[in-house]
Amino acid sequence: MNFTRWSARLPGTQRRAAARTEQTASPDRRGEGSVPAARAEQVTDEPPSVPAVDELRVREVLDRVPSLVALVHGPDHRIAYVNDAYTTAFGVRPLGERAREALPELDALGLFPLLDQVQRSGKPRTVKSRKAPDGRSYTFTCTPVAQGDGKGGIDGRGVLVFATDVTDHAEAAERLRASERRQRETAVTLQRSLLPQELEEPDDLRVAATYHPGGTEAAVGGDWYDVITLGGGRTALVIGDVMGRGVRAAAVMGQLRTAVRAYARLDLPPHEVLQLLDGLAAEIDANQIATCAYAVHDPNEGKLVYASAGHLPILVRDENGTVLRAEEPTGPPLGTGGWMHSSGSIPLGPGSTAVLYTDGLVERRDADLDEGIAALERALAGATGTPQVVCDRLVRSAGVTPDHDDDVAVLVLQHPARTGPDSELFRNAALELLGGVEAAPRARAFASGVLTSWRFPADLHDLGVLAASELVANSLQHGTPPMRLRLRRTDRRLIIEVTDGDDHLPRRRRAEPGDESGRGIAIVATIASNWGCRRTPGGGKAVWCEFALPRTQGT
């Protein structure tokens, strides 16, 4: 194979060859009186001239470059040329042989389909950073070339394979990827350690949650969830998402989650919890904002009371399969400041399932966010089973895979519809406290009758009556109408609660020996497993206490 027949068709070679021919054919036209040129053998101190690139044949140029070069021609890619660098890397290659047998390194790299494509299309193609059998990495560029027939026409097509050694770059990139993987693993570990290791188990709800970090190419974010039992049968449910990626987002998430748990213990309305979080988020990092939805479930009310700071709407599937969306109210994300949040509510009766989630479950780059939420609604409408089953089904329906490009957190809660013997373990009784001091003996008699009908043991019966009496006496002395005594039993505890119209919260204090009052709350705190108080949404307060039931009472 005459290489010059190919080189004559490489870009630019025709122009340079014509220029050299013209220079050779042009005679010396200097005048007669001119100084003759120095003889070639003249001794001189000047170094010998180096020929310009344009004066070199293509083969001479390619033989000198450090990159690997091979030229193949014809439909079966027969070897026309390999340069010195190529033979140094892979050994001598016989000319004229089929490349598939004579260039096994190209076959190992999967380049032959690319050679076919370049020859058919006449367009160059490049593949980046392929590791060759010699252990080094190369970027290959395959360029079509035409073989001249010596008469100005084209005798055939070939492909020039040009390989640049990028081993150092590839190794540096791999070190960078390894570092990023370690950082991501650190962030994921931190993220998971800051999430609840075990969800609290409310008496009246069944809950499940899941967290999926983004794929290996995405840094972990700041998604979180939590379940917080507030006492008195009430439960707080939280879902949040810190904007940003990496360890910093996970750390901010941990601070916000800790703060939510602290604020929840104050038993504040949802919008007041978000108001406190908003100020804290700005103090933690003014440039790091977060969305959050905070909801409270009270089994006596049959609804979720919630507030949202820029978060996606809660979805609730009722016992008939109808899905409701908690649209309003929604305020701006945490950390923006200057906004007064407000609370809303959505029904959550027996047989209902609610879903709280982050945007990674429903947001896609090629689809509108509302479409993702609508798809989630359809999936929830047909989702039945335990909360964990529902949780897994929603994640699968959203197409979340290990290489998903965003974090996903999902929290599912169910308010079971209890029937049969199970329903006997969940009972309620209430009494309106009318009149003056005469309401106290009526309350004691009511509590005694209810606890007797619930077949509590004598010691628990007596403690329950005493606690009800003290809470009612405290309300009659310091509260205002309307007043109500409510008793509730679950499979795990007895809850006694008294509400009235005064919003002054009682506190436990030490009564002096001569004091005639001030001992009621102290007595309740001493005999009960837990006690607390909170302001009610319509004004007024609720004071409650609870007793853990013996294990035989909870089954």
Side-chain angles (χ1 to χ4, degrees):
M1 173 61 65
N2 185 352
F3 189 85
T4 58
R5 298 176 63 201
W6 293 91
S7 65
R9 285 291 177 181
L10 292 175
T13 57
Q14 300 95 327
R15 183 176 65 254
R16 293 192 293 270
R20 287 196 298 271
T21 301
E22 181 179 348
Q23 291 172 2
T24 303
S26 300
D28 188 353
R29 302 192 176 206
R30 287 174 295 187
E32 293 181 357
S34 60
V35 179
R39 294 177 60 86
E41 63 271 14
Q42 180 178 350
V43 178
T44 176
D45 292 334
E46 296 294 329
S49 61
V50 177
V53 173
D54 284 351
E55 297 175 3
L56 296 174
R57 292 169 47 195
V58 173
R59 178 165 183 163
E60 293 179 72
V61 174
L62 296 181
D63 277 340
R64 298 183 185 185
V65 298
S67 300
L68 282 57
V69 181
L71 179 65
V72 298
H73 72 95
D76 52 356
H77 307 304
R78 294 187 178 272
I79 303 175
Y81 165 77
V82 292
N83 73 343
D84 293 342
Y86 196 103
T87 57
T88 300
F90 298 115
V92 177
R93 295 295 183 258
L95 302 182
E97 296 294 326
R98 293 179 58 193
R100 192 171 292 276
E101 289 81 23
L103 301 177
E105 59 276 1
L106 297 188
D107 193 18
L109 291 164
L111 288 185
F112 285 111
L114 188 67
L115 296 180
D116 294 335
Q117 183 182 4
V118 170
Q119 198 169 56
R120 285 194 307 268
S121 66
K123 297 179 179 179
R125 294 289 187 270
T126 297
V127 291
K128 296 182 178 180
S129 192
R130 294 279 181 92
K131 179 168 280 191
D134 66 349
R136 302 192 68 79
S137 297
Y138 299 90
T139 289
F140 288 86
T141 299
C142 300
T143 304
V145 294
Q147 178 186 18
D149 59 4
K151 301 178 182 179
I154 296 176
D155 189 30
R157 288 189 177 276
V159 179
L160 185 70
V161 180
F162 190 91
T164 304
D165 190 333
V166 294
T167 303
D168 291 343
H169 297 286
E171 291 177 350
E174 179 56 34
R175 288 194 296 270
L176 178 60
R177 285 192 293 269
S179 175
E180 291 174 344
R181 284 194 297 270
R182 289 192 296 270
Q183 291 181 10
R184 182 179 182 277
E185 290 169 0
T186 300
V188 170
T189 301
L190 175 62
Q191 172 87 343
R192 291 193 181 280
S193 68
L194 294 174
L195 290 172
Q197 302 306 300
E198 291 184 8
L199 293 177
E200 295 185 20
E201 298 181 0
D203 294 1
D204 293 273
L205 298 176
R206 293 184 296 179
V207 295
T210 187
Y211 169 73
H212 293 266
T216 55
E217 298 301 321
V220 67
D223 294 18
W224 95 91
Y225 55 82
D226 210 347
V227 177
I228 309 165
T229 53
L230 302 177
R234 302 166 74 248
T235 306
L237 306 126
V238 193
I239 193 84
D241 186 0
V242 177
M243 304 303 175
R245 300 286 180 184
V247 174
R248 178 59 182 167
V252 171
M253 176 275 289
Q255 294 177 77
L256 290 178
R257 177 176 173 257
T258 301
V260 169
R261 295 191 69 85
Y263 295 148
R265 299 305 179 193
L266 300 176
D267 217 340
L268 300 170
H271 65 275
E272 292 189 23
V273 171
L274 291 191
Q275 209 71 49
L276 292 172
L277 278 179
D278 184 41
L280 178 65
E283 293 179 8
I284 293 175
D285 189 339
N287 298 318
Q288 196 103 40
I289 62 174
T291 64
C292 180
Y294 180 91
V296 174
H297 174 256
D298 188 333
N300 296 310
E301 297 177 357
K303 63 183 178 181
L304 274 180
V305 179
Y306 68 91
S308 175
H311 204 78
L312 299 173
I314 299 171
L315 302 181
V316 176
R317 176 187 182 272
D318 66 18
E319 58 182 345
N320 300 317
T322 302
V323 177
L324 304 176
R325 183 187 300 192
E327 293 286 4
E328 297 293 343
T330 298
L334 302 174
T336 55
W339 181 268
M340 294 300 296
H341 292 273
S342 57
S343 296
S345 65
I346 187 170
L348 187 75
S352 298
T353 299
V355 179
L356 293 79
Y357 52 96
T358 57
D359 57 3
L361 186 67
V362 295
E363 191 171 36
R364 299 294 180 270
R365 295 177 182 176
D366 57 351
D368 185 76
L369 180 59
D370 283 337
E371 294 178 7
I373 298 176
L376 181 62
E377 288 179 339
R378 292 191 295 270
L380 178 59
T384 57
T386 66
Q388 189 60 59
V389 170
V390 173
C391 201
D392 295 341
R393 181 170 179 178
L394 295 181
V395 170
R396 286 196 305 271
S397 70
V400 177
T401 60
D403 58 352
H404 195 61
D405 62 358
D406 195 6
D407 289 24
V408 173
V410 183
L411 176 62
V412 175
L413 58 132
Q414 290 179 343
H415 186 185
R418 296 181 173 88
T419 58
D422 189 41
S423 64
E424 294 298 315
L425 301 177
F426 292 82
R427 305 289 294 273
N428 284 279
L431 173 69
E432 299 294 333
L433 299 175
L434 304 176
V437 293
E438 66 273 13
R442 288 201 304 270
R444 286 192 294 271
F446 174 78
S448 178
V450 168
L451 298 180
T452 299
S453 68
W454 288 350
R455 294 179 296 200
F456 283 160
D459 55 344
L460 185 58
H461 170 279
D462 293 343
L463 291 175
V465 171
L466 175 59
S469 176
E470 293 296 337
L471 292 182
V472 169
N474 182 78
S475 182
L476 290 172
Q477 183 173 359
H478 302 288
T480 59
M483 302 179 185
R484 171 185 287 187
L485 168 65
R486 176 183 290 160
L487 285 78
R488 176 172 174 77
R489 71 153 296 164
T490 71
D491 59 343
R492 297 179 227 170
R493 71 197 80 237
L494 165 66
I495 303 168
I496 301 172
E497 181 181 82
V498 174
T499 59
D500 64 53
D502 184 83
D503 62 2
H504 177 73
L505 300 180
R507 59 186 180 86
R508 182 179 180 181
R509 64 184 181 86
R510 183 187 300 274
E512 298 298 331
D515 292 345
E516 297 182 358
S517 62
R519 295 182 174 82
I521 296 298
I523 292 173
V524 170
T526 301
I527 64 175
S529 305
N530 194 14
W531 81 281
C533 56
R534 70 179 187 279
R535 292 186 173 88
T536 52
K541 65 177 179 294
V543 185
W544 55 269
C545 69
E546 57 187 32
F547 297 85
L549 301 184
R551 295 183 64 88
T552 55
Q553 290 287 323
T555 58

